[in-house]
Amino acid sequence: MPDIKEQKLLYHLTSIENLSSIFHNGLKPRAQLDAFADVADAEILRKRQALELERYVPFHWFAANPFDGSVQRRRPDSQFVVISVHRNFAIRNRWKVIPHHPLADDGIQLLDYAEGFEAINWDVMNVRDYHDPQCKSICMAECLSPDVVSAGDFFKIFVSNHEVEALCEAKMREAGVTVQIGVNRGMFLR
């Protein structure tokens, strides 16, 4: 498996139901959203709001992370997509990093990108042992955009199959945007 630290992308899972709005208005921080298909756990959202993390758009360092799996298990009949951006885009736009799960027992560390990147325990993250609480927490590290991320800033949208790909293409045509789409079944629960 490739070293996560050396990869070039960041990943955001969302419901396909949100794509029309995202293509028109960008990927917004939760605090700026009115109506959308929420994929996150309500209790976790309350805790994130208390930490003012709803002011950021969260991305993860790899797809098929514990968050992605949890969301897809809770909504087995829903279709999801994974939006990706280049890590260099995050660097240029001064995104923040939380080097482990934001709700970990040892508290939140909201760091500048470079400091946060170095604070992540990449060796542990690369193990991807979700039964080990420390490893799972590190695998839930986040890279946070303080701004709306427009569709023009996306690198690629990953989908689970060609049917979802066709739906994404139709939504892009309606919005007048073009984003590369790729089928990658490995990013999604089967």
Side-chain angles (χ1 to χ4, degrees):
M1 202 172 313
D3 185 351
I4 298 166
K5 183 177 184 179
E6 302 303 320
Q7 294 180 18
K8 304 297 181 201
L9 301 176
L10 296 165
Y11 305 90
H12 179 95
L13 179 85
T14 192
S15 169
I16 195 167
E17 298 169 38
N18 296 326
L19 274 185
S20 291
S21 176
I22 290 169
F23 287 147
H24 280 65
N25 307 307
L27 194 52
K28 293 182 174 183
R30 182 174 295 278
Q32 295 180 25
L33 294 172
D34 295 321
F36 64 103
D38 203 343
V39 300
D41 176 86
E43 178 62 25
I44 291 174
L45 290 177
R46 280 190 288 280
K47 292 176 180 177
R48 289 181 70 88
Q49 186 174 19
L51 297 169
E52 298 185 352
L53 295 177
E54 81 280 5
R55 298 182 301 129
Y56 299 91
V57 180
F59 284 78
H60 289 103
W61 300 93
F62 63 94
N65 56 66
F67 171 79
D68 293 4
S70 172
V71 167
Q72 292 175 70
R73 277 189 299 282
R74 279 197 323 271
R75 297 180 62 188
D77 297 328
S78 297
Q79 292 287 352
F80 296 92
V81 300
V82 175
I83 297 170
S84 66
V85 297
H86 279 281
R87 291 182 184 179
N88 284 335
F89 178 78
I91 294 167
R92 285 192 310 273
N93 289 281
R94 299 186 192 103
W95 289 15
K96 301 291 185 186
V97 171
I98 301 173
H100 53 71
H101 191 288
L103 306 179
D105 292 337
D106 57 349
I108 188 174
Q109 290 179 286
L110 187 60
L111 306 170
D112 289 335
Y113 186 97
E115 182 182 7
F117 187 86
E118 292 306 318
I120 293 172
N121 187 332
W122 296 102
D123 291 334
V124 171
M125 185 182 283
N126 278 316
V127 173
R128 296 188 197 191
D129 179 0
Y130 304 156
H131 298 290
D132 177 284
Q134 179 194 19
C135 184
K136 184 176 180 180
S137 177
I138 290 168
C139 287
M140 301 274 279
E142 296 180 0
C143 191
L144 303 166
S145 171
D147 302 308
V148 173
V149 182
S150 74
D153 296 321
F154 299 167
F155 167 67
K156 183 184 262 188
I157 296 176
F158 294 97
V159 298
S160 59
N161 59 53
H162 293 293
E163 178 184 321
V164 176
E165 180 181 34
L167 288 169
C168 288
E169 288 171 345
K171 291 176 184 289
M172 277 195 285
R173 279 191 300 277
E174 290 170 12
V177 299
T178 303
V179 179
Q180 186 178 2
I181 300 176
V183 175
N184 185 331
R185 288 177 177 81
M187 291 183 167
F188 303 90
L189 293 181
R190 296 188 167 67

